[in-house]
């Protein structure tokens, strides 16, 4: 397991160097998007270029331009948008709970951020801009300046290694109960 300090926009080389289990701290612009923003971008396109970008599946709490909380939302709800977002050049998706690994192969990574750490995330994010503001605070498309945002765990690497799948498989092959001597 290695540790990386990366900066957006991420290059192809950046993501191809990462392996499942590595720890990443990310600086630069990170975007947040949830269900409504993804659906609107599907219909109308992204308000920003996504080549090399990182999107955080998050519904932040923001007051007077300051991030108060920015915990991850469950990425599985957004799985239907993964392929088209990656086709636009997105290099990293950040969230919790995992996504199917296949779309990431050869081009991007899925970075897991611990649920329940919204206040900690807020310390590392500063609002730069908001797009699609009419969707409401949690659903708007936010641009944040990140400073060593993390720790993020590479849960799916660009080779298709998926920590969530490995955990499920190891659980299904383990014994179902304690053994007695």
């Amino acid at each position: 397991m290695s540790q990386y300090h990366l900066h957006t926009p991420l290059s192809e080389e950046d993501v191809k160097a990462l392996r499942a289990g590595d720890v990443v701290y990310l600086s630069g612009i990170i975007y947040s998007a949830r269900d409504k923003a993804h659906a609107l971008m599907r219909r109308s396109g992204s308000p920003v270029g996504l080549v090399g970008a990182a999107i955080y599946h998050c519904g932040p709490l923001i007051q007077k331009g300051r991030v108060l909380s920015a915990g991850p939302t469950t990425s599985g709800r957004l799985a239907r948008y993964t392929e088209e977002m990656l086709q636009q050049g997105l290099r990293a998706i950040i969230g919790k709970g995992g996504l199917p690994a296949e779309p990431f192969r050869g081009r991007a990574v899925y970075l897991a951020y611990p649920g329940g750490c919204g206040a900690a995330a807020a310390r590392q994010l500063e609002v730069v801009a908001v797009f699609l503001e009419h969707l409401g605070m949690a659903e708007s498309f936010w641009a944040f300046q990140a400073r060593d945002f993390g720790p993020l765990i590479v849960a799916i690497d660009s080779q298709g290694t998926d920590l969530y799948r490995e955990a499920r498989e190891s659980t299904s092959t383990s014994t179902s109960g304690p053994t007695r001597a």
Side-chain angles (χ1 to χ4, degrees), residues 3-177:
Q3 188 175 103
Y4 293 86
H5 290 263
L6 299 176
H7 198 281
T8 61
L10 299 169
S11 69
E12 186 176 336
E13 294 75 27
D14 287 334
V15 298
K16 285 187 174 183
L18 299 173
R19 296 292 177 262
D22 286 347
V23 176
V24 174
Y25 291 88
L26 198 53
S27 295
I29 301 298
I30 295 175
Y31 301 102
S32 74
R34 285 183 19 157
D35 308 70
K36 290 180 182 178
H38 275 84
L40 187 57
M41 288 189 294
R42 173 179 270 174
R43 290 192 306 274
S44 307
S46 174
V48 299
L50 294 176
V51 175
I55 284 187
Y56 183 25
H57 291 161
C58 163
L61 175 59
I62 298 181
Q63 186 176 61
K64 297 179 182 174
R66 187 170 157 254
V67 183
L68 300 180
S69 183
T73 195
T74 302
S75 294
R77 292 192 340 248
L78 305 167
R80 65 185 175 271
Y81 303 108
T82 302
E83 178 60 36
E84 62 199 76
M85 298 304 285
L86 296 178
Q87 284 178 356
Q88 294 181 52
L90 191 70
R91 294 273 184 226
I93 295 176
I94 304 163
K96 70 176 182 181
L99 286 168
E102 190 54 38
F104 291 90
R105 193 176 299 275
R107 58 185 171 172
V109 293
Y110 178 74
L111 304 171
Y113 187 75
C117 293
R123 292 174 158 176
Q124 301 166 320
L125 301 172
E126 181 180 309
V127 174
V128 174
V130 61
F131 305 92
L132 312 177
E133 194 169 8
H134 65 283
L135 297 176
M137 182 187 318
E139 294 287 342
S140 293
F141 188 78
W142 292 91
F144 299 115
Q145 177 66 47
R147 291 174 313 280
D148 279 329
F149 180 53
L152 306 168
I153 307 300
V154 179
I156 301 172
D157 65 27
S158 66
Q159 287 72 42
T161 305
D162 179 349
L163 294 182
Y164 292 103
R165 183 182 63 232
E166 289 177 2
R168 286 188 305 272
E169 288 172 358
S170 71
T171 301
S172 67
T173 60
S174 66
T175 60
S176 59

